[in-house]
Amino acid sequence: MKLINLENLKYLLEVNFYASVILLLAGSFLSVSDNHSLFEFKEDLYGALDNNLRMIMVYLGMTEMVILIYCLIRKDFRSMILVGFFLILMVGSMEFYGEINTVEIDSNFPIFFFYTGISHILFGVIEDILKNSHLKNTPQL
């Protein structure tokens, strides 16, 4: 009975995880467009910093794709715990970025990074729990 509940939880967290991945990729790659972006980019940055934040988002999306493909190939998503941790750290990083560059950062960024980060962590944790429980139930040779 316990395993059935854990499997149901895994299914819910997996659906949520893939939804957060789609949101992260959409948010990242749509940042290039003014018309379709999920975020509002202020035009306060000029010169070398112009579109800097947009490019950070594109690099984040490309990194997410590479890590996701790596996890799919290995069939092991436990590394998403670390990815989620770094996504949550992006909340503070964006605030710091705005402060040092004296630009206003869209208030949706903290919510975006917190949600995607928590989703990655929870999915990685449930994967770790299930992998460890299967290892304990496997007979040793």
Side-chain angles (χ1 to χ4, degrees):
M1 184 71 133
K2 180 182 171 187
L3 188 57
I4 293 171
N5 291 336
L6 201 55
E7 287 294 330
N8 290 339
L9 180 61
K10 181 201 182 275
Y11 176 74
L12 289 173
L13 291 176
E14 187 173 7
V15 168
N16 181 64
F17 167 73
Y18 284 112
S20 74
V21 167
I22 291 167
L23 179 66
L24 180 69
L25 293 175
S28 296
F29 294 121
L30 290 175
S31 292
V32 175
S33 167
D34 278 331
N35 300 332
H36 297 60
S37 180
L38 301 179
F39 307 105
E40 186 176 333
F41 294 95
K42 305 294 182 196
E43 299 299 324
D44 297 342
L45 296 174
Y46 299 103
L49 293 178
D50 187 31
N51 293 322
N52 192 353
L53 191 52
R54 292 176 194 265
M55 287 311 300
I56 289 171
M57 292 300 295
V58 170
Y59 291 143
L60 180 66
M62 291 183 340
T63 303
E64 176 75 9
M65 281 184 13
V66 169
I67 295 171
L68 182 62
I69 290 169
Y70 170 77
C71 290
L72 288 168
I73 289 171
R74 290 199 60 219
K75 295 181 172 95
D76 186 0
F77 289 85
R78 293 181 285 182
S79 59
M80 287 299 169
I81 297 169
L82 191 58
V83 172
F85 174 72
F86 283 110
L87 286 169
I88 291 174
L89 285 178
M90 287 292 292
V91 173
S93 298
M94 290 300 249
E95 296 293 325
F96 182 69
Y97 179 87
E99 286 292 320
I100 62 170
N101 290 304
T102 61
V103 293
E104 186 178 339
I105 301 295
D106 188 337
S107 62
N108 291 323
F109 275 117
I111 297 164
F112 173 80
F113 285 120
F114 186 75
Y115 166 68
T116 56
I118 289 294
S119 297
H120 281 63
I121 290 171
L122 291 175
F123 184 62
V125 166
I126 196 74
E127 283 285 314
D128 187 52
I129 290 169
L130 289 172
K131 290 255 188 215
N132 287 334
S133 71
H134 289 296
L135 290 176
K136 288 179 185 175
N137 296 333
T138 305
Q140 299 292 326
L141 295 177

